Amino acid sequence: MGRRKNTTTTAPNTTSSEVVPVGRGGIGGYLVGKMLPYTAPWIGAATLPPLAGLATNTMWGDAPLSAGLASAALAVGGAGLTAVTWKATPAASKFGQFRRAQATASVAAGMGWLTCATAAGPFGSPLMDAWLIGGALFATSWNLRQIIRNGASGDVATEENAGGLGALASAIGWEKVKVKDAKGSGKGTVKADLEVTGGGTIPEVQGTSGKVAAALHVPPSGVIVTPDPDNAARGTLSLRVADLLKDGVDFAMPTALGLLPDADIPLGLYADGEVWAINPFAADILQHVLVMGVTGAGKSELLRALVAHLATRRKMTVFLVDLAKGRQTVGHIADGIDWLIQDKKEAKRMLRSLPAAIKARGDVLASEGLDQWTPDSSLNAMLVWIEEAADVADFDELDEIARKARSVGIWLGISLQRATWTNVSTDVRANLQGAMCFGVNEPADAGFCLPDSVTDSGAVPSWGAERPGYAIATGMGIPQDRWTTEVRSGLTDREELAALVAAGASVRDPLDSATATALGQAYAQRTHRGTNRLTPGVPAAPVAAPAAPAPYPVGSAHDETDDDMTSSEEESAEMELQEAYDEVMGAIPADPEPDAAYASLRLEDDVPDVDADGEMEFEAAEVDSVTTEEARHILYLELDGWVRRGRLEFEPADLIPATVAAQRKRPWMQGELKRLTEAGLISRDAHGSYSILHSPLQPA
């Protein structure tokens, strides 16, 4: 015979959603299981009093003196036991108060009956009557309590401030706080609903999170109180009672090569074991990110994981600025970085060229009918990551980039140890709406990075460098109810990431031509070039500061030089160029006085006019008259010569020889610099120096 299969049916008087197993126990077993909790009070009332009364009466009831002394002792003991019951029973809620009264009355009645039964015997009248009536009332009252608590369907109802939470509430002054529905997740966390009464507020409860952490012996960040956005009297209490991440988190490999930028980027795990992922390019608004934490807190580990993921994606380009330890941090994955910058001048060039690129990308998106970047665009998404940004750019530059870059698909990341106003202005911070705050030494430092709503809840990573990789993260597509949950980034392996980035070369797209062209000479002459599907296996150029430009004569025809010259022809041309340069320079006094007009010439727009005596002017050499076009060509040749030799920064005074050769004066040079700036060929910084974005003789 085959085995008998278990079946299920719905028992009478149960809800249809409650399925009762019909197997070995059947419906009878189910009913017994349901009734058993209600029989315990009846069994206790039926057996304990007569047995205890019979025992005490047998021992001391025969002699009047013994019976009297025993009864007195039992009376005193009963009073003490009743007091202990009242004191020990929690009563932080109305239901708890009822439970306290019921337990105390039961103990008092039982001890009173036992005292009388010791002297008179348990089975005589009226003690027998009292036992039968009182026992029945006792058992019935406890059955009613169970029914009220559990409900008719048998589901466990809510108890407010029950058990340990009730004792905790009394210990820390939460008399006006109701703790309800405390449930463990099974993943090291316990959550409960909070409700304040009697004029209390959730911010007041948040202020006591430190006391709760101390009472429970958990880290300060292990107690989080989050307000309910829809009800000011309610909130959520989250307790992290176990650390599931202490043994480390493995690096999460990409699910596939060639994903688009708007796919999730898994970076680690939450404290409850769920995957921590960000998705900045899929959010309604691209949120730039501020990363903060002390040395050793884990910022570099996170950066490596992030770059490795993005280096395996299509339509994605990474620029990274790290003046301190760029190769040490990301050298093994540098091929996945299109532009790795370790030179301060080159970093400034890149940042100064970004506004032009932002404008060009905006024009492309407009022509494509897109309000903001999406994968449907012909443009690559971009990550521009800057370590210690205060050492690289002024606040105005960063503010402009942060404000304008998000809609054109440029994601800005700024990483530093402390984001104080001296390192990042409040305007820049306002545009960095995403945050990853690793360990900080002072709790107040977290306020420079994280939103107030997060730090107020108690989510403050004030563990310094003691817990590397742990952080609090907000924005960038992270659900808001996850902002207060601790995360830990994955641990990376150098060889594993290097192999991953090498494999990604087959799918990485080069930077789109519109952006590359707009970035101009700074991008074309970058010292590091990552690899992509068009240049597989090509090693990246070593990162080094550009060589100092060689002297270049004004007025030469370098732009017309034949690249196929022989070495002797090149030497002859160089000699001719040097002679022309010497001739021009000879028109200027060799050793000008310190107060000579061009010795310290600065070309700010608001300099005073030239006076009638000719002071502040400089005399041009006696040469033939030069037309406006010829004068501009002389100036452009000087700038083009610098570009060809890798020099992209200059001071206005550096153009004095070209201005003299062009038979022009300071106001003309100022006007030409303004024209070139407006044309987007050069840019001027706050200190009066200039960067060449495009050669005037090689327009974009």
Side-chain angles (χ1 to χ4, degrees), residues 129-264:
D129 301 329
W131 164 46
L132 294 175
I133 297 173
L137 292 175
F138 164 84
T140 303
S141 69
W142 283 91
N143 285 167
L144 289 174
R145 176 181 174 276
Q146 288 175 295
I147 293 173
I148 294 172
R149 183 189 65 185
N150 297 339
S153 65
D155 297 331
V156 177
T158 297
E159 287 194 49
E160 300 175 352
N161 291 13
L165 284 176
L168 177 64
S170 300
I172 61 176
W174 277 11
E175 290 83 0
K176 297 180 180 179
V177 181
K178 294 180 180 179
V179 183
K180 303 183 295 183
D181 290 337
K183 297 177 182 178
S185 66
K187 299 179 179 179
T189 60
V190 175
K191 288 191 174 182
D193 294 333
L194 297 180
E195 183 176 350
V196 293
T197 60
T201 65
I202 293 297
E204 290 175 351
V205 179
Q206 290 177 327
T208 64
S209 59
K211 293 182 179 180
V212 180
L216 296 177
H217 299 279
V218 300
S221 59
V223 178
I224 307 298
V225 178
T226 307
D228 186 336
D230 299 324
N231 190 330
R234 294 181 178 178
T236 301
L237 171 66
S238 176
L239 306 177
R240 181 174 58 77
V241 296
D243 188 356
L244 303 182
L245 311 179
K246 62 181 180 180
D247 294 329
V249 174
D250 293 333
F251 170 73
M253 296 291 288
T255 57
L257 296 178
L259 297 174
L260 289 171
D262 61 346
D264 283 350

Side-chain angles (χ1 to χ4, degrees), residues 355-423:
I358 291 171
K359 182 179 184 303
R361 290 171 66 89
D363 292 341
V364 171
L365 291 174
S367 66
E368 294 173 343
L370 298 173
D371 293 329
Q372 61 182 22
W373 183 90
T374 72
D376 296 331
S377 173
S378 62
L379 303 174
N380 279 17
M382 295 177 63
L383 168 63
V384 178
W385 190 276
I386 308 172
E387 294 284 336
E388 300 298 337
D391 297 336
V392 178
D394 59 44
F395 294 158
D396 291 339
E397 280 183 330
L398 288 177
D399 185 36
E400 180 184 4
I401 293 170
R403 282 188 293 104
K404 298 179 179 179
R406 60 167 55 92
S407 64
V408 298
I410 298 179
W411 182 30
L412 178 63
I414 292 180
S415 175
L416 68 172
Q417 293 189 30
R418 293 182 74 236
T420 61
W421 66 270
T422 57
N423 293 328

Side-chain angles (χ1 to χ4, degrees), residues 2-234:
R3 285 187 179 180
R4 186 176 181 180
K5 296 182 180 179
N6 289 337
T7 59
T8 61
T9 186
T10 301
N13 301 324
T14 64
T15 59
S16 60
S17 62
E18 185 176 3
V19 179
V20 180
V22 178
R24 295 179 180 178
I27 295 178
Y30 171 79
L31 294 177
V32 170
K34 282 290 186 179
M35 294 173 60
L36 186 60
Y38 296 96
T39 61
W42 291 93
I43 295 174
T47 58
L48 292 180
L51 290 177
L54 180 61
T56 56
N57 180 257
T58 302
M59 294 176 63
W60 301 302
D62 292 340
L65 180 60
S66 299
L69 293 175
S71 297
L74 288 173
V76 174
L81 186 59
T82 301
V84 170
T85 304
W86 176 269
K87 189 68 175 178
T89 305
S93 64
K94 291 182 179 179
F95 191 82
Q97 293 171 1
F98 169 77
R99 178 175 50 196
R100 169 191 280 180
Q102 184 185 29
T104 303
S106 298
V107 171
M111 289 304 298
W113 185 89
L114 182 61
T115 300
C116 296
T118 300
F123 302 116
S125 182
L127 289 178
M128 174 71 75
D129 301 329
W131 164 46
L132 294 175
I133 297 173
L137 292 175
F138 164 84
T140 303
S141 69
W142 283 91
N143 285 167
L144 289 174
R145 176 181 174 276
Q146 288 175 295
I147 293 173
I148 294 172
R149 183 189 65 185
N150 297 339
S153 65
D155 297 331
V156 177
T158 297
E159 287 194 49
E160 300 175 352
N161 291 13
L165 284 176
L168 177 64
S170 300
I172 61 176
W174 277 11
E175 290 83 0
K176 297 180 180 179
V177 181
K178 294 180 180 179
V179 183
K180 303 183 295 183
D181 290 337
K183 297 177 182 178
S185 66
K187 299 179 179 179
T189 60
V190 175
K191 288 191 174 182
D193 294 333
L194 297 180
E195 183 176 350
V196 293
T197 60
T201 65
I202 293 297
E204 290 175 351
V205 179
Q206 290 177 327
T208 64
S209 59
K211 293 182 179 180
V212 180
L216 296 177
H217 299 279
V218 300
S221 59
V223 178
I224 307 298
V225 178
T226 307
D228 186 336
D230 299 324
N231 190 330
R234 294 181 178 178

